[in-house]
Amino acid sequence: MSEKPKPKPKPRRTRHAATLADVGREAGVSAMAASAVLNGATTSSRISQPTRERIQEAAAKLRYRPNATARGLADRRMNTIGVATTFSANELNQYFLEVFNGVIEGAAAAGQNTTVFALTDWPECERRLPAICDGRIDGLILLSPWLSLEAGDKLPDHTPFVSVHANQLLPGVTNIESDEEAGAFEMTRQLLALGHRRILHLAGPPDSIGAQRRVAGYLAAHAAAGVPPAPGHVQYGHFTTEAGRRAFTEWLLHHQGQPMPEAIFGATDSVALVAIDLLVERGLRVPQDVSVVGFDDTLAARSAHLTTVRQPLREMGLRAVELLVQRIEAKQQDKPERVIDQVVLRTEFVKGRTLAKPRKLALLIA
Amino acid sequence: MSEKPKPKPKPRRTRHAATLADVGREAGVSAMAASAVLNGATTSSRISQPTRERIQEAAAKLRYRPNATARGLADRRMNTIGVATTFSANELNQYFLEVFNGVIEGAAAAGQNTTVFALTDWPECERRLPAICDGRIDGLILLSPWLSLEAGDKLPDHTPFVSVHANQLLPGVTNIESDEEAGAFEMTRQLLALGHRRILHLAGPPDSIGAQRRVAGYLAAHAAAGVPPAPGHVQYGHFTTEAGRRAFTEWLLHHQGQPMPEAIFGATDSVALVAIDLLVERGLRVPQDVSVVGFDDTLAARSAHLTTVRQPLREMGLRAVELLVQRIEAKQQDKPERVIDQVVLRTEFVKGRTLAKPRKLALLIA
DNA sequence: CTGAAAGCGCTAACAA
DNA sequence: TTGTTAGCGCTTTCAG
């Protein structure tokens, strides 16, 4: 071939610190040797001791820093997993914190970093997903995603996914959940066993699968005990504090003059806690006058000694990472993999201080 | 098998989806044109409408996805900020959640992603910092870092930093904090004004600047009121629930038979909340028998209606991102910048339900 | 208006 | 044991 034009040394807008090439030059070896020594590339064992040392010295002298971006580009791997969830400024999300804690821990254990994609809502997720799965992460955890099946079909296929508490099973995405119905069943069973009959369930949104399962548990426990649920005692709403406040307030308004429920079963701890607030504001005592129980066992519940159903949120986060990393590895090695549809973890009754026997005389709603 | 000369089209371990080159080929234009159209590179306006459309079509057809890693490498910018903090599995960190919420929000507003580096302790941070600042993030927020000055000197200098609640001002790192001393002062002032005299301050670690400031506020308020602090009523410990439990239990043990404090001022909400627990376990009522107040105004405190000092944690997170992004921009454009040392936000007294006048008769510690 | 070429920093494959 | 070459996918000069 023709002579190499050999252009000028190029100004090199020296952004990054020293590069492998720099180190190599300094040590009088190739960049590749430096790579082998410094970043443990495949050939690392084949470098002689003296060369090794020269390279180490040069690296130290030039304060060499590997560049993750470049490595990621070459490797097609960033060692970073993503977590996508809705994150609202007005109400802090305990649930998120608990799961996230597990994710962080699992990721650290697997040598992965974690980047968070904060969404305002799930439609936004559908839009942004392609941009999210653009090489910066190796896999993504969807945290209680609310995606349509069509959206699920359009998930980028070069990125492995795992979901936690998905509202809808997505094709090819392992979902981690807990046996919420069993949890709600057990909780309701305990309430009934104590003698409670008018148990108000402040439920989540009717189109949430989780909310449905909790309602199902509530109803099943009644059926199992041969007790018909108190009529009108399932009030749908949402999982948040504010929604809980609205739902309960409204329910009370619509039931003025009627007997106060003996127990209130919130669809989440937030709902239960705000119910306690509202009862206290009315001069009622918990649990002497009304028992209140929740669902999730988040931090606020624990510090309030709320009786609740524990979902192993941290474990769910851990598990999600584990499964995701497995899938990433498999994909990396082009290994076949059979995707597990679901992993269901157990829920557990947590005895707090907000559950007691019903009082003898019914209170009337003021 | 044997013929080889012709360097084959290269198997191209087809990892990533379609590339710009693919799109260009499909549309019969150069990759560069595709880049201009699809990713809004500098020259984007100079592409003719028809070409534009052809490229768009081709991109859609091939399901082109930009690759952030490649772009990051070329741009030397990932549009990602990092947050480094210690994260322990055994105790959930409310403080983190609050600040993080602000960070997430700020980052989203600035079009940045957020990646979390979970550390077990700050020495680990010093070790990992070089590896963290390796091109994957454009800047880093240190969340209540506890770094020595020497460590501060060794911070990689190609990455801008911002700290929140740093225990030690780091050179060239803007620190965001709140006027904790003023907050503690005001809280103590209120306690004294209500008539409290034996105020037990369950403080943080003596070597924490934040703990020191809270103690300073406590003492200053006494001085301002002309009331000598009750002797032995500052007990050092740590900011966590467990540490709070230990500290209070121990203190009570050492003061058996002496009067119970009229009020307890926890260095954090966690400490205050666990103090309430311990009091209740001893059959005491809060606030009728003992007032309990905290510091931070985290979620658990709010749901417990704890009287506390609010630190604007979310705002601090927002501000941190803002400042960091500014610095990143400045750096990108090689603009000179004068680094602000500190930003101090205001704290605020939050009236809850755990503060009342002291009871007339002193209780004795059992 | 468009394309060719070079390079961001690193790694794998192949020679030497 | 070491160096050379050729990308990873994208962007930015600089020519046409």
Side-chain angles (χ1 to χ4, degrees), chain B residues 211-289:
Chain B
Q212 284 165 24
R213 285 179 180 146
R214 292 167 207 202
V215 171
Y218 167 91
L219 294 175
H222 278 83
V227 175
H233 275 54
V234 173
Q235 166 85 355
Y236 284 94
H238 224 291
F239 291 131
T240 64
T241 300
E242 278 322 307
R245 184 193 308 283
R246 273 198 309 278
F248 190 30
T249 307
E250 211 168 288
W251 192 88
L252 288 172
L253 208 64
H254 284 36
H255 291 75
Q256 273 187 17
Q258 299 179 33
M260 178 65 84
E262 293 155 328
I264 295 173
F265 178 10
T268 62
D269 290 338
S270 303
V271 170
L273 290 171
V274 77
I276 294 180
D277 272 7
L278 291 169
L279 290 169
V280 169
E281 278 173 22
R282 291 173 163 247
L284 301 181
R285 295 161 305 162
V286 173
Q288 296 88 334
D289 295 324

Side-chain angles (χ1 to χ4, degrees), chain B residues 15-28:
Chain B
R15 250 67 181 80
H16 193 74
T19 70
L20 280 181
D22 296 334
V23 173
R25 201 171 306 123
E26 174 77 20

Side-chain angles (χ1 to χ4, degrees), chain B residues 64-122:
Chain B
Y64 166 75
R65 301 280 164 249
N67 178 315
T69 311
R71 198 191 317 210
L73 182 57
D75 280 0
R76 299 161 199 80
R77 165 128 202 201
M78 285 299 278
N79 291 305
T80 298
I81 61 175
V83 179
T85 192
T86 54
F87 219 100
S88 103
N90 28 12
E91 185 159 345
L92 239 37
N93 196 337
Q94 292 279 318
Y95 168 86
F96 168 80
L97 179 62
E98 307 266 345
V99 179
F100 191 59
N101 215 40
V103 169
I104 285 284
E105 195 185 336
Q112 305 296 109
N113 284 113
T114 310
T115 122
V116 177
F117 299 91
L119 312 161
T120 48
D121 50 34
W122 286 102

Side-chain angles (χ1 to χ4, degrees), chain B residues 87-206:
Chain B
F87 219 100
S88 103
N90 28 12
E91 185 159 345
L92 239 37
N93 196 337
Q94 292 279 318
Y95 168 86
F96 168 80
L97 179 62
E98 307 266 345
V99 179
F100 191 59
N101 215 40
V103 169
I104 285 284
E105 195 185 336
Q112 305 296 109
N113 284 113
T114 310
T115 122
V116 177
F117 299 91
L119 312 161
T120 48
D121 50 34
W122 286 102
E124 183 196 349
C125 181
E126 297 181 28
R127 281 198 311 282
R128 281 185 54 193
L129 223 33
I132 288 175
C133 306
D134 59 357
R136 68 188 352 131
I137 57 167
D138 305 326
L140 185 64
I141 296 176
L142 300 167
L143 208 46
S144 62
W146 200 305
L147 293 174
S148 60
L149 201 49
E150 305 96 72
D153 271 335
K154 278 185 292 194
L155 292 179
D157 49 346
H158 54 284
T159 304
F161 290 84
V162 168
S163 60
V164 176
H165 276 138
N167 199 53
Q168 151 89 52
L169 241 44
L170 273 1
V173 177
T174 304
N175 185 45
I176 322 257
E177 46 189 304
S178 67
D179 54 355
E180 297 166 82
E181 180 170 341
F185 181 96
E186 172 61 13
M187 176 58 85
T188 311
R189 195 188 67 69
Q190 300 250 8
L191 287 165
L192 291 169
L194 277 175
H196 291 278
R197 287 302 174 264
R198 291 189 311 282
I199 307 172
L200 170 60
H201 182 41
L202 293 173

